[in-house]
Amino acid sequence: MEISLTKTHAYGPIGERIKKIRLQSGLTQEALAGSEFTKGYISALERGAVRPSLKALDVFARRLGVPITDFLSASQQQSDDSGFDAQREDFLSRCNYVKMLMRVGQLNKALQLIDELERHIESSANIFPPSLSYMVSFLRGIAHLQAGAPKVARTELEAALASIREDEEATVRVRNFLGIAFLMLDLPQHAVEQHLACWQSIRNLVTKDPNLYVSVCRNLANDYSALNEPDRAIDLYEEILPAMQDLNDLEQQAEALCKIAMAYEAKKDWPRAKQYGSWALRIYEAADSRAEAAYFCLKLAKMHTGREQYGDALELLKRAERLVMGTGNHAVMSYLHRAYADLARRQGDYERGIQHAKQSIALAQSYKEATQSGDSRANDPSWQDPTSLYAKALHIEALIEEDQGNKEAADRLFEQALALLHTEGFEEVRHALNLSYAIVLQARGDLEKAVSFYRRAAELQTLTMPRQI
């Protein structure tokens, strides 16, 4: 598939504003670009050919010595609803401020401001531009995604989608996040439907925004990975690498390389998985993205553990531990201790395994509480649902207790993990847990109970099977 990224002036106002301040400050395009961007990107930005991310705007604001709010009112396209211009600009500036709060993890404050926006719309319905009414549900949906509440996010995003008025680009943006919510709920087949619709719109040139193009292709590739279709995933990931290089986003490049490595791992192509994985780690570490680098080390360690390459797995776990120390990222730390526990279990060191499993559970519980209170960081690289993370931590302790012959303790932990996942969604994790418990029960000789859990696993597998697309 080919996506045209030809020049457009859709994002002119913000580019013109940046150019004006840059010239007033006496900065060259190279100086504004710094080490994070290229001169070509700054040139395209000032021509209005690309839409800068909030992260990029933050860098430019600091480099130009102005508050980022100087850019926000200029960042939106001119509209045909000329009678609503002032109302539109004020509303969109507030929306951009909400996005900034979410980007830095201030989710409670963001949700409070979203509620204020909703009241503002209700109080000025006679003059408010109807075309923007979807934004409240859209922003609230994104906030709940970042808070680790995909079920609530899904409801908000579906409401946003239903209220959009003939704005195809807005439809693409909402569907893109709705697909993420479905994937977080372990419903990859529904995620594909949303992201495929986005991708088809981009192919029809509904939008020429390269950032949105990269995001949609990356999310669709993630869906295909979840559906165990690595070839499709690899094609999409490799397609967006040049676009990421043009955008000069090292973290996105590293993330794509990670996904390519995992897709090759799914194909049992170990040399290529290792090649892309090493490349990704070098980029993460060069960008000082420690939590992201640690998370990917854990992915690679899991690959080595599954192949019984325990020495290589241990080295990667130690590397991940060095990277994540001091980041305060409880999600990745929980995953780290879970990986240590699994490795210790496979090596027969049950005492050490239990210690790590309990640490994993405590950290997962802490992460779950933080996300429920809205205090979690928005840039958690693992994008882990806290409930799923907690259930997985309980699962590893259950397996260790079972290996030690502590059947009652194992039963209690399995039941606790499954009880956490009783709501809609989490089909993939629930399938894995039910299947694991069925295998444990069969090994004990409790065939009647094992059959019931095998049956539940089979029912859940049916829900997660890929559809023909």
Side-chain angles (χ1 to χ4, degrees):
M1 60 182 174
E2 294 185 359
I3 307 293
S4 172
L5 296 178
T6 54
K7 185 171 77 172
T8 172
H9 294 282
Y11 313 119
I14 190 169
E16 292 167 6
R17 178 65 174 155
I18 289 173
K19 182 178 181 180
K20 180 179 179 181
I21 298 174
R22 177 180 66 77
L23 293 175
Q24 289 174 345
S25 302
L27 287 180
T28 64
Q29 288 183 334
E30 291 92 338
L32 181 59
S35 60
E36 297 91 344
F37 305 94
T38 64
K39 179 183 176 182
Y41 176 78
I42 300 299
S43 176
L45 173 62
E46 293 183 348
R47 293 196 312 271
V50 297
R51 183 200 300 271
S53 65
L54 286 171
K55 183 177 181 180
L57 286 180
D58 188 36
V59 172
F60 298 145
R62 285 187 281 108
R63 197 156 286 160
L64 292 168
V66 297
I68 194 171
T69 51
D70 280 12
F71 298 143
L72 298 182
S73 63
S75 65
Q76 304 298 326
Q77 301 179 36
Q78 298 296 319
S79 92
D80 294 332
D81 300 321
S82 56
F84 295 127
D85 280 349
Q87 189 81 2
R88 177 186 296 270
E89 291 301 324
D90 176 66
F91 179 77
L92 291 173
S93 293
R94 296 189 196 189
C95 288
N96 279 311
Y97 183 58
V98 168
K99 292 176 185 177
M100 284 190 60
L101 291 173
M102 290 192 287
R103 182 171 63 84
V104 299
Q106 296 185 33
L107 300 182
N108 279 337
K109 187 173 181 181
L111 286 167
Q112 290 171 2
L113 290 179
I114 292 169
D115 290 342
E116 290 180 13
L117 286 173
E118 189 169 41
R119 289 192 291 271
H120 173 68
I121 291 174
E122 292 170 352
S123 65
S124 55
N126 58 326
I127 59 172
F128 186 80
S131 60
L132 296 179
S133 60
Y134 78 95
M135 284 293 294
V136 167
S137 293
F138 181 41
L139 292 174
R140 193 176 281 131
I142 296 173
H144 284 299
L145 276 181
Q146 293 184 349
K151 187 176 181 181
V152 179
R154 172 187 173 180
T155 300
E156 293 290 344
L157 292 167
E158 287 177 335
L161 193 61
S163 64
I164 291 176
R165 302 195 176 190
E166 298 181 354
D167 186 336
E168 291 190 69
E169 182 167 333
T171 298
V172 170
R173 294 182 184 281
V174 175
R175 283 189 182 277
N176 193 28
F177 278 97
L178 181 57
I180 293 172
F182 279 126
L183 192 62
M184 290 177 69
L185 287 166
D186 285 335
L187 296 169
Q189 70 277 17
H190 297 302
V192 162
E193 291 171 3
Q194 297 299 325
H195 290 137
L196 194 58
C198 295
W199 177 76
Q200 289 169 341
S201 294
I202 290 175
R203 290 192 70 186
N204 293 332
L205 300 181
V206 169
T207 174
K208 299 183 179 75
D209 181 355
N211 289 291
L212 184 57
Y213 154 65
V214 166
S215 177
V216 167
C217 288
R218 183 181 65 233
N219 289 331
L220 182 56
N222 292 345
D223 301 338
Y224 283 135
S225 290
L227 289 169
N228 197 28
E229 297 187 44
D231 288 324
R232 283 184 167 184
I234 289 169
D235 288 344
L236 284 162
Y237 292 134
E238 291 187 334
E239 178 182 327
I240 59 178
L241 281 174
M244 289 177 176
Q245 291 170 351
D246 290 341
L247 295 172
N248 205 31
D249 191 323
L250 290 177
E251 289 187 6
Q252 283 198 39
Q253 290 178 48
E255 181 188 349
L257 292 167
C258 289
K259 300 293 187 179
I260 294 171
M262 291 297 99
Y264 276 119
E265 188 267 342
K267 293 182 64 176
K268 311 299 183 186
D269 188 340
W270 312 118
R272 288 194 182 184
K274 186 175 181 180
Q275 174 190 352
Y276 279 98
S278 299
W279 187 3
L281 278 177
R282 286 198 299 271
I283 293 177
Y284 272 140
E285 291 179 336
D288 197 30
S289 301
R290 295 169 58 201
E292 289 83 353
Y295 181 67
F296 188 57
C297 279
L298 296 174
K299 288 283 193 180
L300 291 177
K302 182 178 179 181
M303 180 177 71
H304 285 292
T305 299
R307 298 180 65 200
E308 297 184 357
Q309 296 173 339
Y310 299 144
D312 291 335
L314 181 59
E315 287 303 312
L316 283 164
L317 293 181
K318 290 179 177 178
R319 186 175 179 180
E321 187 171 9
R322 290 192 297 270
L323 286 164
V324 79
M325 282 298 181
T327 65
N329 192 308
H330 286 187
V332 178
M333 286 294 292
S334 177
Y335 188 174
L336 171 65
H337 284 287
R338 189 171 85 238
Y340 268 131
D342 185 37
L343 181 60
R345 171 183 170 250
R346 290 170 184 263
Q347 294 176 313
D349 190 346
Y350 299 128
E351 182 178 352
R352 185 163 57 91
I354 284 290
Q355 291 174 354
H356 282 296
K358 290 188 179 301
Q359 286 180 282
S360 178
I361 290 170
L363 287 161
Q365 187 172 17
S366 174
Y367 178 63
K368 182 174 172 62
E369 291 170 354
T371 55
Q372 288 174 338
S373 68
D375 294 331
S376 64
R377 297 286 297 178
N379 61 346
D380 174 18
S382 65
W383 200 258
Q384 285 275 353
D385 178 86
T387 302
S388 176
L389 187 76
Y390 192 9
K392 290 175 182 178
L394 291 166
H395 178 225
I396 192 63
E397 185 177 4
L399 291 175
I400 297 172
E401 292 287 8
E402 181 67 24
D403 287 348
Q404 294 185 100
N406 300 327
K407 297 179 182 179
E408 290 184 5
D411 287 338
R412 184 178 64 255
L413 289 160
F414 268 115
E415 289 165 4
Q416 186 179 352
L418 288 167
L420 285 170
L421 305 171
H422 70 281
T423 57
E424 181 183 2
F426 309 113
E427 277 81 1
E428 188 175 339
V429 180
R430 287 162 60 200
H431 167 262
L433 281 172
N434 277 283
L435 181 60
S436 177
Y437 197 21
I439 293 170
V440 164
L441 292 167
Q442 182 180 7
R444 290 182 191 172
D446 191 346
L447 299 183
E448 183 177 352
K449 192 174 180 180
V451 166
S452 68
F453 281 93
Y454 274 124
R455 185 177 295 114
R456 293 180 197 176
E459 292 169 353
L460 290 163
Q461 187 175 32
T462 300
L463 292 175
T464 58
M465 286 177 64
R467 298 177 181 177
Q468 294 298 320
I469 296 173

